[in-house]
Amino acid sequence: MKMNWSEMKEEIFSLMFIDDSDKSEYEKAMIPAVNYAIRELSLEVSPDICSVEVCVTEPENLLGERMRKSLYTFRKGDRTAFCVNGCASIAFRYKGEGTLRITANGKETVYELKHTDNFTDYYVGLAERAYVTAEFTSEDKLLVKDTGFYAYGGDDVSPYDKFVRFDMNVLTDNTFAGLYEIHPVKCVAEDDVYEDYYYEKPASIYFDRDKSGVYRIYYYKAPEKITKHTPGSEEISLSYEAAKLVCLYAAWRLLKEDNERLAAMYYNEYVDARENLRIRNISKENAAVDIWPERGIL
C-alpha cells in the first residue's frame, strides 16, 4: 500500500490542524520540506539500489604504442612532422619551448608551446576526424613524449592520465544519490568485488586506464521530487509507514515558528521512528546472503 501526494498533503494539514481556508499559504513551503524528508528516508530507511555498467578501454594510438613511448628531442630550429589520417585529437607532454603547427583537412593552426622546466600536459581537440599533419618546431630545446594521435576526443584519450573518469550524474540521468556502501563496484568478467577505483564526491569515479574491462557500479537512486505540477494521484516512492514519517517532518518544518511545542513533539516522533526503521533495515542487510542487490539484499 502506497500513499499518494494528495493523501500526504491532507495528512500534513491534519497534523497541523489547518482549516481549508488557510491551506494555500502553506502548500508552497510544504514541497521542499517533503522532498527533504523523502530523500533522507529513501537513503536511510528504504534505499533504491540500482546499477550501471561502464567499459574501461585503452584508446588506440594511431601512431602505435612504440611511437607513444618514444622521447623526442628537438634542438633549436629542429622540425619534425607526424602525418595521421582519421585523427580527432592529439595529446602529449612537453618540456622546453616551441610551436606546434597543425594542418587538418587543409586548415592550418599554430599553437605556442610556452616555456616550461617540467613536463607539461598538452591536448588539442579537433572539430572532426581529419587527415592531420602535426609539425613540432623547437625555439631552443624541446622535449616531447607520451605522444598520441586518436580517433576520439575528450577525456577518453589522455595517454598521460593514469585514470579514466566517469560522471555518475551523467551515467544515471541525474538520479545519482551516492555509491552503494557495501562493495559498490564489481568486475563483470570475474563476477567479483573490484576495489581498484577512486571515488571523489559528489559524483566522480575513476578507474585505472590500464585495467580494461566492464565494471558494474551500484548506487543509491534519488527519489522523484515533488513539484507544484505533481498530480495528486502520484504515489510517493516510500512505504506507507515511511510516508507517514514524511508527514511528521513536514508538519514540524511548517509549525516550528507558529507552534513550537507541537512542532517539537512531531520532530521527536519523526527522529525516533526513523531510527527504528533504519535499525530494521540494517537487520535485513545483515541477514542477506550476498553482497549485491540482484542476489536478494533488501
Side-chain angles (χ1 to χ4, degrees):
M1 181 180 178
K2 296 274 189 178
M3 182 183 293
N4 64 34
W5 175 223
S6 180
E7 292 168 337
M8 176 169 282
K9 285 191 289 185
E10 290 305 314
E11 176 70 13
I12 295 169
F13 287 136
S14 175
L15 290 169
M16 297 173 64
F17 301 99
I18 295 295
D19 295 330
D20 289 344
S21 59
D22 298 325
K23 288 181 179 179
S24 58
E25 65 178 283
Y26 288 100
E27 284 202 28
K28 185 176 180 180
M30 182 188 297
I31 290 175
V34 165
N35 280 327
Y36 181 89
I38 288 176
R39 182 181 177 90
E40 183 173 70
L41 290 166
S42 292
L43 298 180
E44 290 190 11
V45 176
S46 55
D48 185 2
I49 303 169
C50 300
S51 67
V52 62
E53 291 185 357
V54 297
C55 183
V56 177
T57 58
E58 180 71 23
E60 180 186 0
N61 186 350
L62 300 177
L63 285 178
E65 284 304 298
R66 185 182 65 82
M67 298 290 283
R68 181 176 75 85
K69 294 176 182 177
S70 299
L71 173 65
Y72 302 96
T73 303
F74 306 93
R75 303 198 177 277
K76 187 174 182 178
D78 285 352
R79 294 185 178 186
T80 298
F82 301 91
C83 298
V84 176
N85 192 26
C87 178
S89 58
I90 302 170
F92 57 91
R93 306 184 77 192
Y94 81 94
K95 181 169 71 171
E97 183 178 0
T99 59
L100 170 62
R101 188 182 307 272
I102 295 179
T103 304
N105 287 340
K107 183 179 179 180
E108 183 180 280
T109 307
V110 178
Y111 301 86
E112 296 293 331
L113 304 179
K114 296 182 180 180
H115 180 80
T116 175
D117 293 325
N118 300 306
F119 276 103
T120 301
D121 302 335
Y122 204 90
Y123 172 83
V124 178
L126 307 176
E128 59 183 356
R129 293 185 186 181
Y131 181 84
V132 170
T133 299
E135 181 182 81
F136 289 94
T137 303
S138 175
E139 295 297 329
D140 182 13
K141 184 177 181 180
L142 179 66
L143 301 178
V144 177
K145 67 177 183 178
D146 295 342
T147 310
F149 287 64
Y150 301 95
Y152 308 98
D155 292 338
D156 294 333
V157 302
S158 305
Y160 43 76
D161 190 354
K162 179 175 172 59
F163 296 97
V164 57
R165 172 183 172 275
F166 294 96
D167 186 331
M168 291 299 296
N169 286 327
V170 173
L171 293 176
T172 64
D173 294 326
N174 291 310
T175 63
F176 178 72
L179 286 184
Y180 181 51
E181 295 174 355
I182 307 174
H183 302 298
V185 181
K186 170 182 177 181
C187 178
V188 174
E190 298 177 6
D191 193 28
D192 202 358
V193 174
Y194 183 79
E195 297 182 342
D196 195 12
Y197 68 91
Y198 172 67
Y199 176 63
E200 181 180 60
K201 291 183 177 181
S204 294
I205 188 166
Y206 299 81
F207 290 85
D208 192 321
R209 190 180 295 280
D210 294 330
K211 296 183 178 179
S212 300
V214 177
Y215 301 94
R216 185 172 298 134
I217 305 168
Y218 295 91
Y219 66 95
Y220 294 113
K221 183 179 179 180
E224 291 285 338
K225 286 188 174 182
I226 298 296
T227 71
K228 63 181 181 180
H229 303 297
T230 301
S233 58
E234 182 80 17
E235 286 191 342
I236 304 302
S237 58
L238 299 171
S239 67
Y240 191 85
E241 184 179 13
K244 295 276 282 187
L245 300 191
V246 173
C247 300
L248 285 172
Y249 179 88
W252 164 69
R253 281 267 294 261
L254 296 171
L255 283 173
K256 61 182 181 179
E257 292 184 2
D258 298 333
N259 191 331
E260 187 176 342
R261 180 176 297 179
L262 184 59
M265 184 183 74
Y266 287 155
Y267 184 73
N268 290 334
E269 285 185 40
Y270 169 77
V271 171
D272 291 342
R274 182 192 64 190
E275 182 63 13
N276 289 335
L277 281 177
R278 191 183 68 83
I279 292 172
R280 194 187 312 167
N281 185 59
I282 290 174
S283 299
K284 288 183 181 180
E285 290 194 15
N286 291 339
V289 297
D290 216 329
I291 60 173
W292 287 302
E294 69 260 29
R295 295 181 182 169
I297 197 168
L298 300 181

PDB file of all heavy atoms in Angstrom, residues 168-190:
ATOM      1  N   MET A 168      28.961  10.172 -12.522  1.00  0.00           N
ATOM      2  CA  MET A 168      27.798   9.364 -12.172  1.00  0.00           C
ATOM      3  C   MET A 168      26.491  10.094 -12.457  1.00  0.00           C
ATOM      4  O   MET A 168      25.474   9.453 -12.744  1.00  0.00           O
ATOM      5  CB  MET A 168      27.864   8.956 -10.694  1.00  0.00           C
ATOM      6  CG  MET A 168      28.957   7.956 -10.368  1.00  0.00           C
ATOM      7  SD  MET A 168      28.772   6.383 -11.266  1.00  0.00           S
ATOM      8  CE  MET A 168      27.221   5.780 -10.606  1.00  0.00           C
ATOM      9  N   ASN A 169      26.498  11.406 -12.402  1.00  0.00           N
ATOM     10  CA  ASN A 169      25.275  12.147 -12.740  1.00  0.00           C
ATOM     11  C   ASN A 169      24.903  11.938 -14.204  1.00  0.00           C
ATOM     12  O   ASN A 169      23.726  11.782 -14.545  1.00  0.00           O
ATOM     13  CB  ASN A 169      25.461  13.637 -12.448  1.00  0.00           C
ATOM     14  CG  ASN A 169      25.422  13.948 -10.974  1.00  0.00           C
ATOM     15  OD1 ASN A 169      24.705  13.300 -10.220  1.00  0.00           O
ATOM     16  ND2 ASN A 169      26.203  14.923 -10.549  1.00  0.00           N
ATOM     17  N   VAL A 170      25.907  11.921 -15.072  1.00  0.00           N
ATOM     18  CA  VAL A 170      25.657  11.699 -16.499  1.00  0.00           C
ATOM     19  C   VAL A 170      25.212  10.263 -16.742  1.00  0.00           C
ATOM     20  O   VAL A 170      24.268   9.995 -17.492  1.00  0.00           O
ATOM     21  CB  VAL A 170      26.919  12.029 -17.321  1.00  0.00           C
ATOM     22  CG1 VAL A 170      26.719  11.648 -18.786  1.00  0.00           C
ATOM     23  CG2 VAL A 170      27.257  13.514 -17.207  1.00  0.00           C
ATOM     24  N   LEU A 171      25.887   9.324 -16.093  1.00  0.00           N
ATOM     25  CA  LEU A 171      25.568   7.901 -16.293  1.00  0.00           C
ATOM     26  C   LEU A 171      24.168   7.543 -15.811  1.00  0.00           C
ATOM     27  O   LEU A 171      23.555   6.600 -16.318  1.00  0.00           O
ATOM     28  CB  LEU A 171      26.595   7.030 -15.563  1.00  0.00           C
ATOM     29  CG  LEU A 171      28.035   7.052 -16.083  1.00  0.00           C
ATOM     30  CD1 LEU A 171      28.928   6.222 -15.179  1.00  0.00           C
ATOM     31  CD2 LEU A 171      28.108   6.530 -17.518  1.00  0.00           C
ATOM     32  N   THR A 172      23.663   8.265 -14.830  1.00  0.00           N
ATOM     33  CA  THR A 172      22.381   7.902 -14.205  1.00  0.00           C
ATOM     34  C   THR A 172      21.270   8.903 -14.491  1.00  0.00           C
ATOM     35  O   THR A 172      20.242   8.881 -13.800  1.00  0.00           O
ATOM     36  CB  THR A 172      22.554   7.778 -12.682  1.00  0.00           C
ATOM     37  OG1 THR A 172      22.907   9.068 -12.143  1.00  0.00           O
ATOM     38  CG2 THR A 172      23.643   6.782 -12.317  1.00  0.00           C
ATOM     39  N   ASP A 173      21.450   9.757 -15.484  1.00  0.00           N
ATOM     40  CA  ASP A 173      20.438  10.772 -15.810  1.00  0.00           C
ATOM     41  C   ASP A 173      20.069  11.616 -14.590  1.00  0.00           C
ATOM     42  O   ASP A 173      18.898  11.869 -14.302  1.00  0.00           O
ATOM     43  CB  ASP A 173      19.173  10.122 -16.388  1.00  0.00           C
ATOM     44  CG  ASP A 173      19.429   9.476 -17.743  1.00  0.00           C
ATOM     45  OD1 ASP A 173      20.261  10.016 -18.498  1.00  0.00           O
ATOM     46  OD2 ASP A 173      18.812   8.445 -18.041  1.00  0.00           O
ATOM     47  N   ASN A 174      21.097  11.993 -13.833  1.00  0.00           N
ATOM     48  CA  ASN A 174      20.940  12.868 -12.663  1.00  0.00           C
ATOM     49  C   ASN A 174      20.052  12.283 -11.568  1.00  0.00           C
ATOM     50  O   ASN A 174      19.375  13.024 -10.843  1.00  0.00           O
ATOM     51  CB  ASN A 174      20.401  14.236 -13.097  1.00  0.00           C
ATOM     52  CG  ASN A 174      21.409  15.026 -13.904  1.00  0.00           C
ATOM     53  OD1 ASN A 174      22.558  15.179 -13.504  1.00  0.00           O
ATOM     54  ND2 ASN A 174      21.001  15.509 -15.066  1.00  0.00           N
ATOM     55  N   THR A 175      20.077  10.955 -11.435  1.00  0.00           N
ATOM     56  CA  THR A 175      19.358  10.319 -10.316  1.00  0.00           C
ATOM     57  C   THR A 175      20.331   9.771  -9.275  1.00  0.00           C
ATOM     58  O   THR A 175      19.924   9.079  -8.350  1.00  0.00           O
ATOM     59  CB  THR A 175      18.457   9.175 -10.821  1.00  0.00           C
ATOM     60  OG1 THR A 175      19.271   8.148 -11.414  1.00  0.00           O
ATOM     61  CG2 THR A 175      17.450   9.686 -11.845  1.00  0.00           C
ATOM     62  N   PHE A 176      21.611  10.067  -9.423  1.00  0.00           N
ATOM     63  CA  PHE A 176      22.634   9.541  -8.520  1.00  0.00           C
ATOM     64  C   PHE A 176      22.557  10.226  -7.160  1.00  0.00           C
ATOM     65  O   PHE A 176      22.541  11.449  -7.063  1.00  0.00           O
ATOM     66  CB  PHE A 176      24.021   9.770  -9.130  1.00  0.00           C
ATOM     67  CG  PHE A 176      25.169   9.314  -8.273  1.00  0.00           C
ATOM     68  CD1 PHE A 176      25.419   7.967  -8.108  1.00  0.00           C
ATOM     69  CD2 PHE A 176      25.989  10.236  -7.643  1.00  0.00           C
ATOM     70  CE1 PHE A 176      26.486   7.539  -7.324  1.00  0.00           C
ATOM     71  CE2 PHE A 176      27.049   9.828  -6.857  1.00  0.00           C
ATOM     72  CZ  PHE A 176      27.305   8.478  -6.695  1.00  0.00           C
ATOM     73  N   ALA A 177      22.513   9.416  -6.091  1.00  0.00           N
ATOM     74  CA  ALA A 177      22.446   9.960  -4.734  1.00  0.00           C
ATOM     75  C   ALA A 177      23.562   9.412  -3.849  1.00  0.00           C
ATOM     76  O   ALA A 177      23.521   9.565  -2.639  1.00  0.00           O
ATOM     77  CB  ALA A 177      21.094   9.650  -4.112  1.00  0.00           C
ATOM     78  N   GLY A 178      24.567   8.764  -4.438  1.00  0.00           N
ATOM     79  CA  GLY A 178      25.685   8.231  -3.672  1.00  0.00           C
ATOM     80  C   GLY A 178      25.973   6.786  -4.029  1.00  0.00           C
ATOM     81  O   GLY A 178      25.101   6.059  -4.508  1.00  0.00           O
ATOM     82  N   LEU A 179      27.230   6.367  -3.797  1.00  0.00           N
ATOM     83  CA  LEU A 179      27.610   4.973  -4.058  1.00  0.00           C
ATOM     84  C   LEU A 179      27.017   4.051  -3.005  1.00  0.00           C
ATOM     85  O   LEU A 179      26.917   4.406  -1.832  1.00  0.00           O
ATOM     86  CB  LEU A 179      29.133   4.822  -4.044  1.00  0.00           C
ATOM     87  CG  LEU A 179      29.924   5.346  -5.235  1.00  0.00           C
ATOM     88  CD1 LEU A 179      31.404   5.015  -5.055  1.00  0.00           C
ATOM     89  CD2 LEU A 179      29.415   4.786  -6.545  1.00  0.00           C
ATOM     90  N   TYR A 180      26.639   2.866  -3.444  1.00  0.00           N
ATOM     91  CA  TYR A 180      26.190   1.823  -2.523  1.00  0.00           C
ATOM     92  C   TYR A 180      27.330   1.528  -1.556  1.00  0.00           C
ATOM     93  O   TYR A 180      28.499   1.462  -1.948  1.00  0.00           O
ATOM     94  CB  TYR A 180      25.819   0.586  -3.336  1.00  0.00           C
ATOM     95  CG  TYR A 180      25.307  -0.588  -2.542  1.00  0.00           C
ATOM     96  CD1 TYR A 180      24.283  -0.441  -1.623  1.00  0.00           C
ATOM     97  CD2 TYR A 180      25.836  -1.863  -2.745  1.00  0.00           C
ATOM     98  CE1 TYR A 180      23.795  -1.525  -0.915  1.00  0.00           C
ATOM     99  CE2 TYR A 180      25.352  -2.962  -2.044  1.00  0.00           C
ATOM    100  CZ  TYR A 180      24.338  -2.782  -1.122  1.00  0.00           C
ATOM    101  OH  TYR A 180      23.858  -3.852  -0.424  1.00  0.00           O
ATOM    102  N   GLU A 181      27.035   1.364  -0.279  1.00  0.00           N
ATOM    103  CA  GLU A 181      28.078   1.309   0.744  1.00  0.00           C
ATOM    104  C   GLU A 181      28.758  -0.046   0.867  1.00  0.00           C
ATOM    105  O   GLU A 181      29.855  -0.139   1.412  1.00  0.00           O
ATOM    106  CB  GLU A 181      27.485   1.717   2.099  1.00  0.00           C
ATOM    107  CG  GLU A 181      27.021   3.171   2.121  1.00  0.00           C
ATOM    108  CD  GLU A 181      26.316   3.535   3.401  1.00  0.00           C
ATOM    109  OE1 GLU A 181      26.107   2.629   4.229  1.00  0.00           O
ATOM    110  OE2 GLU A 181      25.959   4.709   3.572  1.00  0.00           O
ATOM    111  N   ILE A 182      28.136  -1.126   0.390  1.00  0.00           N
ATOM    112  CA  ILE A 182      28.722  -2.457   0.551  1.00  0.00           C
ATOM    113  C   ILE A 182      29.308  -2.910  -0.779  1.00  0.00           C
ATOM    114  O   ILE A 182      28.587  -3.360  -1.671  1.00  0.00           O
ATOM    115  CB  ILE A 182      27.668  -3.483   1.029  1.00  0.00           C
ATOM    116  CG1 ILE A 182      26.974  -2.969   2.288  1.00  0.00           C
ATOM    117  CG2 ILE A 182      28.310  -4.836   1.270  1.00  0.00           C
ATOM    118  CD1 ILE A 182      25.824  -3.838   2.742  1.00  0.00           C
ATOM    119  N   HIS A 183      30.620  -2.767  -0.962  1.00  0.00           N
ATOM    120  CA  HIS A 183      31.292  -3.162  -2.197  1.00  0.00           C
ATOM    121  C   HIS A 183      30.555  -2.613  -3.430  1.00  0.00           C
ATOM    122  O   HIS A 183      29.890  -3.357  -4.152  1.00  0.00           O
ATOM    123  CB  HIS A 183      31.411  -4.683  -2.295  1.00  0.00           C
ATOM    124  CG  HIS A 183      32.150  -5.301  -1.150  1.00  0.00           C
ATOM    125  ND1 HIS A 183      33.462  -5.005  -0.872  1.00  0.00           N
ATOM    126  CD2 HIS A 183      31.768  -6.186  -0.205  1.00  0.00           C
ATOM    127  CE1 HIS A 183      33.859  -5.692   0.189  1.00  0.00           C
ATOM    128  NE2 HIS A 183      32.845  -6.408   0.618  1.00  0.00           N
ATOM    129  N   PRO A 184      30.679  -1.321  -3.690  1.00  0.00           N
ATOM    130  CA  PRO A 184      29.878  -0.701  -4.760  1.00  0.00           C
ATOM    131  C   PRO A 184      30.298  -1.023  -6.182  1.00  0.00           C
ATOM    132  O   PRO A 184      29.556  -0.737  -7.110  1.00  0.00           O
ATOM    133  CB  PRO A 184      30.049   0.798  -4.482  1.00  0.00           C
ATOM    134  CG  PRO A 184      31.361   0.901  -3.786  1.00  0.00           C
ATOM    135  CD  PRO A 184      31.472  -0.325  -2.937  1.00  0.00           C
ATOM    136  N   VAL A 185      31.471  -1.625  -6.366  1.00  0.00           N
ATOM    137  CA  VAL A 185      31.934  -1.895  -7.733  1.00  0.00           C
ATOM    138  C   VAL A 185      32.244  -3.372  -7.896  1.00  0.00           C
ATOM    139  O   VAL A 185      32.855  -4.005  -7.039  1.00  0.00           O
ATOM    140  CB  VAL A 185      33.179  -1.059  -8.082  1.00  0.00           C
ATOM    141  CG1 VAL A 185      33.623  -1.335  -9.522  1.00  0.00           C
ATOM    142  CG2 VAL A 185      32.897   0.432  -7.917  1.00  0.00           C
ATOM    143  N   LYS A 186      31.815  -3.897  -9.026  1.00  0.00           N
ATOM    144  CA  LYS A 186      32.000  -5.315  -9.338  1.00  0.00           C
ATOM    145  C   LYS A 186      32.621  -5.447 -10.716  1.00  0.00           C
ATOM    146  O   LYS A 186      32.216  -4.762 -11.662  1.00  0.00           O
ATOM    147  CB  LYS A 186      30.634  -6.003  -9.301  1.00  0.00           C
ATOM    148  CG  LYS A 186      30.586  -7.424  -9.826  1.00  0.00           C
ATOM    149  CD  LYS A 186      29.137  -7.906  -9.760  1.00  0.00           C
ATOM    150  CE  LYS A 186      28.959  -9.289 -10.332  1.00  0.00           C
ATOM    151  NZ  LYS A 186      27.545  -9.720 -10.272  1.00  0.00           N
ATOM    152  N   CYS A 187      33.629  -6.310 -10.850  1.00  0.00           N
ATOM    153  CA  CYS A 187      34.191  -6.639 -12.157  1.00  0.00           C
ATOM    154  C   CYS A 187      33.303  -7.703 -12.786  1.00  0.00           C
ATOM    155  O   CYS A 187      33.170  -8.807 -12.262  1.00  0.00           O
ATOM    156  CB  CYS A 187      35.619  -7.148 -12.013  1.00  0.00           C
ATOM    157  SG  CYS A 187      36.364  -7.644 -13.577  1.00  0.00           S
ATOM    158  N   VAL A 188      32.677  -7.366 -13.903  1.00  0.00           N
ATOM    159  CA  VAL A 188      31.692  -8.258 -14.507  1.00  0.00           C
ATOM    160  C   VAL A 188      32.327  -9.569 -14.969  1.00  0.00           C
ATOM    161  O   VAL A 188      31.777 -10.654 -14.750  1.00  0.00           O
ATOM    162  CB  VAL A 188      30.980  -7.554 -15.679  1.00  0.00           C
ATOM    163  CG1 VAL A 188      30.057  -8.521 -16.418  1.00  0.00           C
ATOM    164  CG2 VAL A 188      30.173  -6.360 -15.156  1.00  0.00           C
ATOM    165  N   ALA A 189      33.489  -9.505 -15.594  1.00  0.00           N
ATOM    166  CA  ALA A 189      34.130 -10.707 -16.136  1.00  0.00           C
ATOM    167  C   ALA A 189      34.475 -11.702 -15.040  1.00  0.00           C
ATOM    168  O   ALA A 189      34.332 -12.909 -15.209  1.00  0.00           O
ATOM    169  CB  ALA A 189      35.376 -10.322 -16.923  1.00  0.00           C
ATOM    170  N   GLU A 190      34.939 -11.207 -13.883  1.00  0.00           N
ATOM    171  CA  GLU A 190      35.341 -12.084 -12.792  1.00  0.00           C
ATOM    172  C   GLU A 190      34.205 -12.345 -11.809  1.00  0.00           C
ATOM    173  O   GLU A 190      34.354 -13.171 -10.902  1.00  0.00           O
ATOM    174  CB  GLU A 190      36.531 -11.467 -12.046  1.00  0.00           C
ATOM    175  CG  GLU A 190      37.764 -11.297 -12.933  1.00  0.00           C
ATOM    176  CD  GLU A 190      38.905 -10.624 -12.200  1.00  0.00           C
ATOM    177  OE1 GLU A 190      38.772 -10.390 -10.976  1.00  0.00           O
ATOM    178  OE2 GLU A 190      39.930 -10.345 -12.848  1.00  0.00           O
TER     179      GLU A 190
END
